[in-house]
Amino acid sequence: MKRTAIYPFTAIVGQEEMKLSLILNAINPSLGGVLIKGEKGTAKSTAVRALAALLPTMPAVKGCRYHCDPRNAAQLCDDCRRRMEEGKLPEEEVTMKVIDLPVSATEDRVVGTLDIEEAIRAGRKAFEPGILAEANRNILYVDEVNLLEDHIVDVLLDAAVMGINTVEREGISFAHPAKFILVGTMNPEEGDIRPQLLDRFALSVMVRGEQDTAKRTEVIRRRLEYEADPEAFCAKYETEQQALTEKIRAARVLLPEVELPDLLLEKTALLSVELGVDGHRSDITLIKAALTHAAYAGRKAAALEDLRIAAKLVLPHRMRRRPFEDGKLDWAKVDELLAE
């Protein structure tokens, strides 16, 4: 059976904040993921799967169950590290995939399991990989993330920040790389997630159905055209897709070279204090997002405009609020603070 071509990322109408937040995480997975909140039928899952199809291929160690990066020795699993000591690692080009995590997943299914009997009997660590192993260097997609057990969300977010999954059972420990782009989606009508967990998502956006008649008409037209002939529809956007792929690739290369002016550090601290944002995680995330946006724009130094755009994605869900109330950012206040 022939697989239907994936709906092109560049063909999605509107939802600019959602698309930008996904692109920034694709450029810089260490940001820590994005939470997309919105009503049904607003292209949340479509955008996530379209992003994976958009991203450039990447080198991986051939035969590695974690598809390690052969050019990053610090992120190799134990098996690849031993193979590297014996000689050059064999390589292959792989495409990024979307790994789904069902809301019913148990902790063992997520993190993997250790065979304690085998470890005691044979003296070796027998590890059965879980979803986090499969997700390494891929997109981990959690639909209805607000319905996940809290301790599972904790595990996911810890791995997303650290880039490592550690499993400990009966005094035996095993670790493997787990560097992935975490994307959670949810419908606020079906319940909220705890503020302390919400804060762990680097970026957050709220998506709504288009209210502009022309844009809404274009959504219908494109969807019907895609369903009539997916291959022909995707071919129309091939040039735009390739251009965005190259822009992401270039931003990844440029990102380590982007300079951070002291002024942006001072403005970040000022925003957090004046807007009443708790903790320091928001400050660090805001700077990382601003640097990533500068790289995406092709600039070698981050500017106040990068900080302003990043603030819209980083700060609203961290504003002090009552339960089930969306955070609101006073943009007049933000502009005033950045202009001082």
Side-chain angles (χ1 to χ4, degrees):
M1 179 178 174
K2 186 178 180 181
R3 295 183 62 185
T4 303
I6 295 173
Y7 195 90
F9 190 86
T10 54
I12 297 173
V13 178
Q15 310 297 5
E16 299 304 327
E17 287 187 5
M18 175 177 69
K19 291 189 288 189
L20 178 60
S21 66
L22 289 169
I23 289 171
L24 293 182
N25 271 278
I27 295 169
N28 185 6
S30 67
L31 272 177
V34 56
L35 175 65
I36 305 172
K37 304 168 69 175
E39 58 202 38
K40 300 182 291 292
T42 47
K44 297 189 295 293
S45 60
T46 297
V48 175
R49 300 188 190 285
L51 177 71
L54 175 76
L55 297 179
T57 59
M58 53 189 180
V61 177
K62 192 172 183 177
C64 174
R65 55 185 176 177
Y66 311 109
H67 24 270
C68 289
D69 183 352
R71 300 167 195 180
N72 186 352
Q75 289 288 326
L76 293 177
C77 66
D78 292 342
D79 289 341
C80 287
R81 192 169 286 109
R82 282 193 293 268
R83 291 169 67 186
M84 186 174 66
E85 292 173 355
E86 297 169 359
K88 187 178 179 181
L89 292 171
E91 296 185 16
E92 63 179 344
E93 287 292 316
V94 298
T95 55
M96 185 170 279
K97 298 183 295 183
V98 176
I99 308 301
D100 291 287
L101 191 152
V103 293
S104 59
T106 63
E107 185 172 353
D108 282 348
R109 176 72 186 93
V110 173
V111 303
T113 56
L114 278 168
D115 188 337
I116 304 301
E117 292 184 7
E118 179 70 10
I120 296 174
R121 182 177 60 82
R124 66 183 185 88
K125 298 176 182 177
F127 178 68
E128 183 64 32
I131 292 174
L132 289 183
E134 193 179 358
N136 186 43
R137 304 185 71 207
N138 285 311
I139 297 172
L140 181 58
Y141 177 49
V142 191
D143 192 18
E144 298 180 322
V145 65
N146 51 318
L147 303 183
L148 270 181
E149 295 288 341
D150 286 345
H151 70 283
I152 297 293
V153 179
D154 278 330
V155 168
L156 291 180
L157 296 174
D158 283 341
V161 173
M162 301 299 295
I164 297 173
N165 175 44
T166 303
V167 184
E168 295 181 341
R169 297 287 187 275
E170 307 296 333
I172 299 173
S173 178
F174 184 88
H176 68 77
K179 197 173 182 65
F180 50 83
I181 300 172
L182 177 64
V183 180
T185 57
M186 60 175 280
N187 184 346
E189 296 175 357
E190 298 172 351
D192 210 347
I193 56 179
R194 292 187 288 120
Q196 56 267 46
L197 295 182
L198 185 62
D199 177 59
R200 299 291 294 278
F201 280 96
L203 312 179
S204 177
V205 294
M206 175 67 77
V207 294
R208 297 177 177 84
E210 290 291 344
Q211 298 304 304
D212 179 80
T213 304
K215 287 185 177 181
R216 206 170 179 105
T217 302
E218 187 62 21
V219 170
I220 301 170
R221 181 181 290 112
R222 291 188 186 185
R223 189 67 201 187
L224 292 177
E225 186 181 347
Y226 167 74
E227 291 180 359
D229 191 342
E231 297 292 340
F233 181 80
C234 292
K236 286 178 56 177
Y237 292 89
E238 184 60 35
T239 301
E240 292 178 48
Q241 289 278 104
Q242 191 59 41
L244 184 52
T245 297
E246 290 303 319
K247 190 174 181 181
I248 291 172
R249 193 198 308 272
R252 287 176 172 177
V253 174
L254 180 61
L255 180 58
E257 303 174 14
V258 178
E259 296 178 0
L260 175 63
D262 287 342
L263 174 63
L264 264 63
L265 291 172
E266 296 167 6
K267 290 294 186 182
T268 296
L270 181 65
L271 283 174
S272 294
V273 171
E274 294 295 325
L275 296 174
V277 179
D278 293 326
H280 297 285
R281 184 178 286 116
S282 64
D283 302 48
I284 297 168
T285 304
L286 187 52
I287 287 295
K288 290 169 69 174
L291 290 169
T292 306
H293 187 270
Y296 180 53
R299 295 193 297 271
K300 288 192 174 182
L304 285 174
E305 181 59 20
D306 298 309
L307 194 65
R308 185 182 188 280
I309 292 172
K312 199 165 187 176
L313 305 174
V314 173
L315 296 181
H317 65 294
R318 293 183 167 90
M319 303 298 292
R320 291 170 186 161
R321 63 194 183 111
R322 292 187 293 272
F324 302 102
E325 178 185 64
D326 288 325
K328 287 185 172 61
L329 198 58
D330 184 347
W331 275 104
K333 182 71 171 177
V334 171
D335 288 336
E336 178 187 333
L337 292 171
L338 292 179
E340 288 178 355

